[in-house]
Every structure is written in structure tokens, then in C-alpha cells.
Amino acid sequence: MKKFLLPILFLFTASIAFSTPFAPQKLTLSAPQTVSYNFTGANLEIPLTVGGWSSNTVFMIYTKGQAANIGSVQNGYLGWHYVNKMDTCVYLTILGLLPTGVNNVVWNGKGTQGAGAAMAQPTNAIVPAGDYTYYFYGYDSVNARVPAMKSVVTGQGETAPGYLEWKDAAGNVLPNPIMYVGINGWAAQDGPVTTNPEGNGSKVVKWPIGLDPETVITDMEYSLFDHGGMLKKGGNIAIDPTDHSMVYITETDKNWSNFITKYKWTPGGPAVLQTDWADNGSYAWTTGMGTGQCFQAGPLCNGPDLLCTTMWPNYDTTPWAQILILSREDGSLIKNIDVTNWQCSVDDMNRTGCLNGGSSNLQLPVGTDSGLMYANTAYTCRYITFDPYRDAGDEVVWVNQNGDYVGDRFFLPEEEVKWICNKWGHAPWAYTDYPDINGFSSFSCYGMGPQSFGLIGPSGTGVGYFAIAGETELVKQLAYPLNIGSAYDGMYPDNKNSTAAGPGTWYVGYDSITGTITNKAVGVADAAPAAFSVTQNVPNPFNPSTTISFNLAKAGKVTVDVFNISGQKVDTL
């Protein structure tokens, strides 16, 4: 890491400048890609550079390359943690608020054990020598959130985006990612369809990140095709990754039968049903039980051929929890992933809870094609991650449920009936679990007081609860963490019901990074970053000086051109 101190009054921009109203100052983390350590118990110092804003930071260390040896393990209090061929956590700590600049993070080679960072206890044993993966997760807990998108309000997902398009059909990363939200009609089971207050009928709106926060484009309107009179409340959409003119939408009729329907985009107009897909444009899916509500999660498009969805018969008295995998090519069924063992509990039902616990939501990490999908529901404590490409019966890769106090329900001493996952009317109301590029999952914790989100680490390790600056207990939803190397990376919480800010989607600085700790010798090439990068100068704006930090992929001479706010070059360093 090199730095220049610039003692003149000009604005330096470390990334491409967009001439648009929304241009947040990012929070960035950077550290050596590979660190050498001899595992003798001596202190290892990892230089972590924080840019943009101070960072409320989590530090974790995991095994590396040991997934096959770990196999399938269920452990922890109440068996809360299940991993299946995944590397696991050996060390966890919350570092707290770190200032901008270089911070030396110290590890003595010893592990921690216990559930959640608040309860994790250090061990006296040094972990075995070898290779480990380290993670840093940080966010801005000091500065007020910045308005991003203010006019979109939807249903079950509240104001959370239903889809985030981060690359084009050719696989290129978009400089301005696009948030999509499905805004659908809703009706009582025997009543007429009502339109949402945002517009007429059912539609999909979008917001290219970087536009004026007040600007939303109505991109497509659609209606149920021969499915009865009720549309799904809110929910996700999925854009075909190889043809962005095609979109998949979930629909529900008055009998709570569920459908996945394929449409062709008609920008600003009615969608065109694709009758050559599935059965006249729709794949019909039902539990066959016909009792009570049956919420369906929005679809996901993953990999070259898969379309994934699930639904939740929350009032039924027969155990049922399946995740549906379809072919995007023709709408045929590939397989059902059975998660009944995790989502259904006869014991919960016998102790005043519900039998079936989901899933009612599915998400993909934005910024990676890892293949992993994340599932959770608003009313239970079970967070599940699965790989649809694994063999049948082996798809679930990790589960976090009651027992580690992160995302847990009915665990307080004064609870009349304790440790029930499947029961309504109790915090935390999770709604949606959003994974990031490095495997961190954030979920809202509505009803938990002035907390904004709970955090689960890679492989399902519970970390803790965190608050965005100025938070109140009324926040319902945390939106996507964006970490793709764009000018708009950060996390996007909504505030439909918060007194801390007005309705809409807002912006908070955030970043997560990963690297390797090894007992092998580290050469200069290994220690260098993979590519040249420049972090945001600090402070910005400045008077009379600012610091510009940058990383080099290899040693060499460097020049820095400095431009003023009008785009004129004023100096070369």
C-alpha cells in the first residue's frame, strides 16, 4: 500500500465519475491477499486499510481446503449448526469501530469456540498449522444513511428490491447496476383484485443505480393469464441471464395455487406471455393440500439452465417443505430438493407453534456465480443454504437455527414456551436473508429494538446484531449488499416504517474482503494484490490536503494525475 499526500485544494476522484445525482462515498477494506504465519503462538499482524469512512468491523478465520474432510457435521447448542462439506470457522471476533487508514489486526493463532461473537470464548490451543481463509466484514455505523431510491414500495419484501441486475447478457459487469421491484395486486381470498397505491395494476419498475433517487422507470405491466383473480403480494422476479428481454414472475390464484410464468419485456407497456414455455407460459405448482395460505417465493435464475422457487403452506398440518428446480429452457421439472427435515417441526406444532416453517424467500449472492442459493422465511429462525447442482439428498450445505442467539426465537428466560422456530408473533422478524459475495448473510431483525440487522458468517456461523446510525426498532427490511467493484458498492436498507429516515431504499457504506493465512513461504508475487486499485481519497472534499492510497500488482514507477472539479489536469505526482 502506497500513499501520496496532496497539499493543494482540488478534488481528487479515485473512480469513474458519473454525472448523476446519486454518487455515494464508499467504505472500502483492503488487506494483503496472502499472509505468512508459522503457528507458534506469536502474534500475527494483518494490516487492514480502511478507506472512505470508519468501519465497524468483524474478523473471522476459517479452515481452507478441508471441506471434504469435514464432511457432514451437526453441532452446537440444540444442534443449531449443520455443515455439509463446507469449511468451518475457527476464530471469530468483533473488532469494533476502526478509523480510516491502516489498522494492524492481531491474531495469536488460537481459536475461539461458542455461539455468536458475543459468546465466543478463546481456546488455549493453537490451531493446526496449514492454510486458512480470513474474512473482514465492515460497515459504516456512524454516518447517517444517504437517500438512494425513494419512491418504490412493494409487498412482502416491503421496499426491498426484488431483483438486482449486476451484469449484462454477455457477462460484463454493469457500471450502473439495476434494481427491479415487482409491484403486484392483492385481494382477499374471495374478493376482487386491488391495485397497489404506486400505480395501476401489476407492474415491474426499475431503478438504475446512479439516477436521481426520485426517478423510477415503469418497465413492464402484466396480468394473470387464466389463473383466477389474485396476484401474489410483492415478491421477486428473475431475469433470464442469457436473454434479458425474458422475465419469470410468480403468481398466485384465489385457491392459493402457485405459478411461475414467463413473459417478454415490453418496456413501458404490457408484457407478452411466452406460450411456448412450460404449459402455455406457466408452470403450475401446488402442495395438493389446499388448506390455508401458501406463499411462494420469487424465482431465481442460477447457472446455465436452472430456475428455482419454493413456497410455504404455513397453515397445513402435513409436513411439507420443498424447493423446486425447473429447466429454464422448457419449464420442465428437474427435481425437488426436500428440506422437510429442516423446515418442519412436529415438536413446534405440539408446543403452540406451526408445523411448516418455509421457505418463503430465496436469494442469490449478488456479484458471484458460486452456485449457492440461500433460503429463509419471515416467521422462523432457520437459515438454509443449498447447492442445486449436488446429488439428490446432498444439496443442503449449511443450516443455522435456534441455538446460537443470532436469529434465534423464543430463547429469553421469561418465555412461556422456549426455543420454538415455527411460530408467528415474535421477534426477530427476518423477512429476507441477503448473502454477499463472500458468504456473509444479513437479515433484518425487526422488533429487536434499535438494531438494523443480524449477521451470519460463511458456512452459517452466527456473528451478532448490528445497528445503522440513527436506527429505531421499526426497520423491517435490509436490502442487497452490493460488492461488485462498482462506484455504488454498499448496502441498501429500506425504511418504510422507520422514524430514522423516510420511506424508500437508502445507502450505507459497507465492504467485505477475504484472503489466505498460510504456513508456506509467501513471495512478493503472492503478497501483492491481484490488480491495481485506488481507494477513495480521505478526506474528500479536502482543505488543504488529502491522502490518496493505492495498491500495486507489481513494483514499478508510479505517476498520479490530479484533476480539479472541472476536469482540468492540474498536477502530475
Side-chain angles (χ1 to χ4, degrees), residues 6 28 40 49 54 64 93 114 131 144 183 192 203 232 241 262 308 321-322 373 402 480 487 490 507 535 572:
L6 187 63
T28 61
T40 61
T49 302
S54 57
K64 182 176 183 179
T93 187
D131 292 343
I183 302 181
K203 62 184 180 181
K232 185 180 181 293
K262 183 177 181 179
C308 177
Q322 309 255 330
M373 298 183 179
N402 259 343
Y480 286 107
Y507 174 88
T535 63
T572 297

Side-chain angles (χ1 to χ4, degrees), residues 504-519:
T505 299
W506 294 64
Y507 174 88
V508 174
Y510 130 89
D511 196 8
S512 72
I513 60 172
T514 182
T516 299
I517 300 172
T518 181
N519 62 341

